[in-house]
Amino acid sequence: GGIAVWASLAFNEFWGFMGGYFSLVEGVVNLAVFPTVTLDYLLVLFRTELDPVTAWFGKALISVFVVALNMQGVNFVGRSSYLLSILINLPLGVMIILALFYVKDYSPWLDSRQNDYDTNWTFFLGILVFNLSGYDNVGSVAGQVKKPGVTMPKAMIVAIIVGSVSFLVPLMFGAVIDTNYDNWRAGHFAVAGEIVGGRLLFYVLVVAAAMSRITHFMAELCTNAFFLQGMADERMVPPVFGWKHPSTRAPWVSIAANFAVVVAMVTLSLPEIFEFSNFFTISGVVLGLATTIKLRITHPDVPRPYAIPVGTTGLILFFFPCFFLSVYVICCLSIFTASVCTGVVISGILAHYALNEARLVGWSGMQGTVEEVELFGVKSFSDKQEEAPQHRSDV
């Protein structure tokens, strides 16, 4: 349940529900980016364009493919993501090696061209928020991982290092392969690869880019689905969303719910998706900061092996820059985006009270536990059952 569980413990069930709601909305909005970008990369290979209806079907097919992979379970998703990550980075490694023989002048690394362009700092911060969001989502699948107290911190450190290096190093070499930065657009890495490695490397880099988006799509859908399943376990949403397939242990209903929202949202433009996503990302971040501080005060004796090594006052000061930048980005949203997001927040508040009322009056959809839910003639897998070690993920 991630922030939904933590905020409930720190404040009350309402804030727990809203924290989960913020994360869910942000997650499904983010998911809508990946089929759109993946299709764009694939169209580059065929040098064609699609009409809006055909493009929607293409995005829907990509989403169906990723949903089918997620229904195989978190262990399958983890191992597949690991393998695909290696395959994705191989072409970038080839481009860097070829660049070492091609590039003769590395002085652009030291040149500052800030005065050559009108920097849109608001847009930059918005993109930064979008690209750096999602690390907290890994908490949603901590229960599916062997020895999470040891494995998760190691995985996070490796992910941050590998992710940062895989972004920074190819960008550094791309910047000296093609120094005409007016040519740089989304997908220009493939063009830079073609300069040093020919048409073959161009195609390989485009395929790798598409695979990268599918891998990200697959991983984020997995964490979103388990997040919704965790909310069902906590009785914040109907227990049916917590139903897990007894063999794959994947939350099929939660996966299907995410898929339904994604196929409805892929009609939006990417800038709109970024703005909507950032609003709910920042809302969740601010609530997460407040939750962390409150738990330090109300639950000081809870073991925190990876706590930030400062006191409560130091923690507040440590979080202040993040809070300030978050509020700044929110204030820079367009009136349209702010209006729609406000409506979505109000809908979440109404949903919380409606679900609470449904539970109080005895609506069958809010009664019972996840373990009692039966679909396709079988009951949900229960995490309370004794699990054999070989079925748990160690990725």
Side-chain angles (χ1 to χ4, degrees):
I3 185 64
V5 176
W6 306 328
S8 291
L9 181 62
F11 299 105
N12 52 45
E13 185 180 333
F14 169 77
W15 285 111
F17 178 87
M18 293 308 295
Y21 183 74
F22 291 153
S23 293
L24 283 174
V25 175
E26 176 252 332
V28 293
V29 172
N30 275 352
L31 290 177
V33 171
F34 303 124
T36 300
V37 177
T38 302
L39 182 63
D40 288 343
Y41 281 130
L42 294 177
L43 292 178
V44 170
L45 290 176
F46 300 101
R47 297 182 178 278
T48 186
E49 295 183 358
L50 300 177
D51 62 86
V53 175
T54 306
W56 182 87
F57 276 105
K59 296 169 189 177
L61 285 175
I62 293 170
S63 301
V64 168
F65 173 67
V66 174
V67 164
L69 295 178
N70 266 270
M71 285 185 169
Q72 305 309 307
V74 67
N75 197 43
F76 177 86
V77 171
R79 294 187 182 280
S80 299
S81 299
Y82 179 76
L83 176 60
L84 287 173
S85 296
I86 295 175
L87 296 177
I88 290 164
N89 282 289
L90 285 177
L92 292 175
V94 171
M95 186 189 81
I96 291 169
I97 293 173
L98 293 175
L100 291 173
F101 296 95
Y102 175 85
V103 177
K104 305 301 180 183
D105 180 15
Y106 292 92
S107 62
W109 285 353
L110 303 177
D111 291 342
S112 175
R113 300 194 180 185
Q114 182 175 347
N115 295 329
D116 295 344
Y117 303 94
D118 293 327
T119 304
N120 187 336
W121 290 105
T122 301
F123 183 72
F124 170 75
L125 288 174
I127 293 296
L128 201 62
V129 169
F130 182 84
N131 283 329
L132 295 178
S133 65
Y135 283 108
D136 55 325
N137 289 352
V138 74
S140 303
V141 295
Q144 312 300 314
V145 177
K146 183 180 179 181
K147 297 180 180 179
V150 176
T151 304
M152 299 295 277
K154 290 181 179 178
M156 289 289 286
I157 292 172
V158 172
I160 291 172
I161 294 174
V162 172
S164 299
V165 170
S166 63
F167 271 112
L168 181 60
V169 176
L171 181 60
M172 290 173 61
F173 280 93
V176 292
I177 291 173
D178 184 358
T179 57
N180 187 356
Y181 301 135
D182 291 329
N183 293 334
W184 281 78
R185 299 288 187 275
H188 197 74
F189 270 125
V191 177
E194 182 179 11
I195 293 174
V196 297
R199 201 65 183 168
L200 177 60
L201 186 56
F202 170 84
Y203 287 123
V204 173
L205 284 169
V206 171
V207 172
M211 289 171 57
S212 172
R213 296 306 92 199
I214 288 177
T215 303
H216 198 166
F217 190 4
M218 185 166 58
E220 188 145 348
L221 176 59
C222 179
T223 58
N224 281 6
F226 274 98
F227 195 95
L228 183 56
Q229 179 255 320
M231 292 184 70
D233 285 341
E234 296 295 322
R235 304 288 298 280
M236 295 181 184
V237 296
V240 68
F241 288 104
W243 189 88
K244 297 166 74 174
H245 192 277
S247 298
T248 65
R249 307 183 184 183
W252 280 20
V253 178
S254 294
I255 292 172
N258 277 270
F259 167 75
V261 179
V262 169
V263 295
M265 292 199 64
V266 290
T267 55
L268 295 176
S269 67
L270 288 180
E272 289 173 330
I273 293 175
F274 288 148
E275 280 206 331
F276 289 135
S277 172
N278 285 346
F279 177 91
F280 291 101
T281 296
I282 291 170
S283 298
V285 166
V286 172
L287 180 59
L289 298 180
T291 296
T292 304
I293 294 170
K294 181 69 181 297
L295 289 176
R296 280 286 189 98
I297 298 171
T298 59
H299 295 72
D301 299 326
V302 173
R304 293 178 172 87
Y306 305 105
I308 299 173
V310 294
T312 303
T313 302
L315 194 65
I316 294 172
L317 295 175
F318 182 78
F319 285 160
F320 180 77
C322 179
F323 176 80
F324 175 78
L325 289 175
S326 297
V327 172
Y328 174 77
V329 173
I330 287 287
C331 291
C332 292
L333 295 177
S334 68
I335 295 177
F336 171 74
T337 300
S339 301
V340 173
C341 290
T342 300
V344 175
V345 171
I346 293 173
S347 298
I349 295 172
L350 295 176
H352 167 72
Y353 288 110
L355 291 172
N356 265 354
E357 186 66 22
R359 186 165 56 237
L360 291 175
V361 300
W363 178 52
S364 59
M366 286 295 290
Q367 302 304 307
T369 63
V370 170
E371 289 78 11
E372 297 169 350
V373 176
E374 184 173 324
L375 291 177
F376 312 112
V378 294
K379 288 189 175 182
S380 169
F381 170 79
S382 174
D383 290 322
K384 297 178 182 178
Q385 300 172 10
E386 184 178 9
E387 296 183 20
Q390 63 269 26
H391 289 299
R392 302 194 64 171
S393 172
D394 57 358
V395 296

